[in-house]
């Protein structure tokens, strides 16, 4: 009997001593190539958390859509299949139009405005995500979006019938309104899609064209500066609620650093990748006047459609964004 009591006491002691040090591993799916600055920022964020929590939380990133393709990452976090992940929120415009606030044509087209828009929208987006069992940690913009083709394009007329790779509803809608044929393809798959002719154009950043070496198939990049979508890093809310206050503070501090660092990496990557496209043999230039004017008309239609879908909540964000200095 004595033996058993001693044993129990010893076990209890071991359990008590072990509890605070119980290490958790958080797998973090990411959709974009490991070399991209979003993935690099995520990897640094993961290190920061692992170090800062003294190993209590070890975050392991899985770039290139290797754990889940982009389109499935948000749901995987919501349902607890993974505790954390990165996703382009505008890919979920069908759930809530507010998620596409960063894909409204010609609203926020440079880094300063992108930050202002994010500042205006973040509280509402965080609230919507919270209702979906998600805790928002940080978000980082993509560089301005331009049009890729495998021929010279001077007007919307030249775009008719072109097979167009889309990554969210806004990109698909842009294709429809310009007479192109949209097909949704993950960034991780686009080199192959262009090589096989499944797609022959897209709207994206110089960054993604550079990461996927699209000069192997495409010839022109027109700097349209249509919008600047963001990737958001989210944690499953149950996981977040079960995290100690001390560890939450570390994760949030690392997230704040990541948001800051990711933003400046985006700035730096913009010219670097446009030059990379040029070095690959592509023509990189601003869109011509006719095309710009026609795209502005398409943009105006899309703005109207978005405002109608987003309702007063959306209008309020736009208003506060426009009121910012
Ligand atoms: N790259 C991502 C989204 C926006 C961007 O610049 C992509 O093309 O999938």
């Amino acid at each position: 009997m004595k033996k058993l009591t001693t044993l129990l006491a010893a076990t209890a002691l071991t359990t008590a001593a072990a509890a605070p040090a119980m290490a958790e591993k958080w797998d973090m799916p990411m959709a974009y190539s490991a070399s991209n600055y979003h993935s690099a920022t995520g990897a640094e964020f993961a290190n920061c958390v692992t170090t800062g929590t003294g190993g209590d939380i070890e975050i392991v990133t899985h770039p290139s859509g290797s754990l889940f393709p982009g389109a499935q990452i948000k749901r995987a976090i919501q349902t607890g299949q993974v505790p954390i992940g990165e996703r382009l929120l505008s890919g979920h415009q069908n759930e809530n139009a507010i998620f596409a606030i960063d894909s409204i044509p010609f609203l926020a087209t440079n880094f300063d405005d992108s930050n202002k828009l994010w500042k205006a929208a973040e509280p509402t987006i965080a609230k919507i995500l919270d209702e979906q069992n998600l805790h928002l940690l940080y978000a980082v913009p993509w560089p301005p979006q331009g049009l890729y083709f495998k021929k010279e394009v001077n007007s919307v007329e030249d775009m008719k019938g072109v097979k167009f790779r889309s990554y969210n509803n806004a990109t698909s809608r842009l294709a429809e309104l310009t007479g192109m044929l949209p097909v949704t393809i993950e960034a991780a798959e686009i080199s192959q899609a262009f090589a096989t002719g499944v797609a022959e154009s897209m709207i994206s950043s110089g960054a993604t064209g550079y990461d996927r070496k699209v000069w192997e198939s495409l010839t022109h990049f027109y700097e349209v500066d249509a919008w600047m979508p963001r990737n958001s890093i989210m944690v499953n809310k149950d996981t977040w609620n079960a995290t100690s206050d001390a560890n939450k503070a570390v994760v949030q501090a690392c997230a704040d650093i990541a948001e800051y660092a990711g933003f400046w990496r985006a700035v730096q990557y913009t010219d670097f990748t446009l030059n990379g496209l040029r070095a690959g043999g592509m023509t990189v230039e601003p869109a011509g006047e006719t095309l710009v004017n026609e795209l502005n008309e398409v943009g105006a239609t899309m703005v109207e459609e978005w405002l109608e879908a987003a309702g007063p909540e959306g209008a309020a964000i736009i208003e506060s964004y426009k009121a910012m200095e």
Side-chain angles (χ1 to χ4, degrees):
M1 190 64 201
K2 184 164 178 230
K3 232 181 165 181
L4 182 62
T5 320
T6 316
L7 188 67
L8 279 175
T11 314
L13 258 183
T14 320
T15 313
M22 264 281 278
E24 284 177 40
K25 185 178 161 214
W26 289 9
D27 284 310
M28 177 167 163
M30 309 183 86
Y32 303 95
S33 61
S35 60
N36 181 273
Y37 67 91
H38 287 284
S39 308
T41 303
E44 292 299 334
F45 163 74
N47 281 340
C48 176
V49 170
T50 304
T51 310
T53 62
D56 284 357
I57 301 172
E58 185 202 354
I59 299 187
V60 179
T61 58
H62 301 268
S64 298
S66 56
L67 197 55
F68 286 99
Q72 290 174 24
I73 290 176
K74 180 166 174 284
R75 173 136 294 272
I77 313 167
Q78 274 175 258
T79 57
Q81 283 172 278
V82 288
I84 189 169
E86 177 188 68
R87 172 62 175 149
L88 182 96
L89 266 189
S90 61
H92 300 278
Q93 176 170 10
N94 52 346
E95 295 169 26
N96 193 317
I98 304 287
F99 288 151
I101 188 116
D102 59 18
S103 300
I104 298 175
F106 311 118
L107 177 67
T109 61
N110 60 55
F111 283 103
D112 272 355
D113 286 350
S114 166
N115 261 355
K116 282 185 203 162
L117 185 59
W118 178 242
K119 221 172 151 195
E122 188 182 7
T124 310
I125 290 179
K127 186 198 75 183
I128 298 166
L129 291 174
D130 184 79
E131 287 160 5
Q132 295 185 333
N133 204 37
L134 292 165
H135 175 74
L136 175 65
L137 279 179
Y138 72 89
V140 171
W142 286 96
Q145 304 290 290
L147 285 166
Y148 286 88
F149 293 104
K150 55 198 290 187
K151 62 175 186 181
E152 189 183 319
V153 168
N154 296 310
S155 66
V156 163
E157 183 61 30
D158 296 339
M159 294 156 72
K160 295 253 175 312
V162 167
K163 286 182 262 174
F164 180 87
R165 173 262 170 170
S166 61
Y167 62 74
N168 64 11
N169 283 14
T171 50
S172 299
R173 188 68 184 130
L174 180 97
E176 283 167 10
L177 290 169
T178 52
M180 295 192 285
L181 310 169
V183 45
T184 302
I185 298 167
E186 293 278 344
E189 313 291 335
I190 60 179
S191 311
Q192 206 192 346
F194 290 136
T196 56
V198 169
E200 47 195 3
S201 70
M202 67 171 176
I203 187 163
S204 191
S205 55
T208 288
Y210 176 83
D211 292 339
R212 308 315 309 167
K213 298 189 171 61
V214 299
W215 54 82
E216 289 173 358
S217 307
L218 307 180
T219 54
H220 287 74
F221 179 76
Y222 293 104
E223 298 167 78
V224 170
D225 296 351
W227 60 76
M228 300 176 66
R230 278 183 187 244
N231 285 353
S232 293
I233 288 66
M234 298 162 279
V235 182
N236 174 281
K237 205 166 102 180
D238 304 319
T239 305
W240 185 248
N241 289 342
T243 301
S244 72
D245 285 348
N247 284 341
K248 271 183 191 159
V250 171
V251 174
Q252 193 56 60
C254 293
D256 293 346
I257 294 170
E259 183 162 298
Y260 185 83
F263 175 84
W264 285 105
R265 282 177 190 229
V267 172
Q268 185 269 332
Y269 210 51
T270 301
D271 283 343
F272 171 78
T273 53
L274 291 181
N275 286 331
L277 295 180
R278 285 189 187 99
M282 293 186 74
T283 302
V284 177
E285 60 188 24
E289 207 183 314
T290 308
L291 185 56
V292 167
N293 290 339
E294 290 174 338
L295 289 174
N296 273 320
E297 280 174 38
V298 168
T301 305
M302 288 175 64
V303 170
E304 258 175 53
E305 290 175 351
W306 183 85
L307 279 170
E308 198 177 323
E313 209 171 31
I317 297 173
I318 304 288
E319 223 170 273
S320 73
Y321 162 67
K322 289 199 163 153
M324 283 179 189
E325 287 298 308

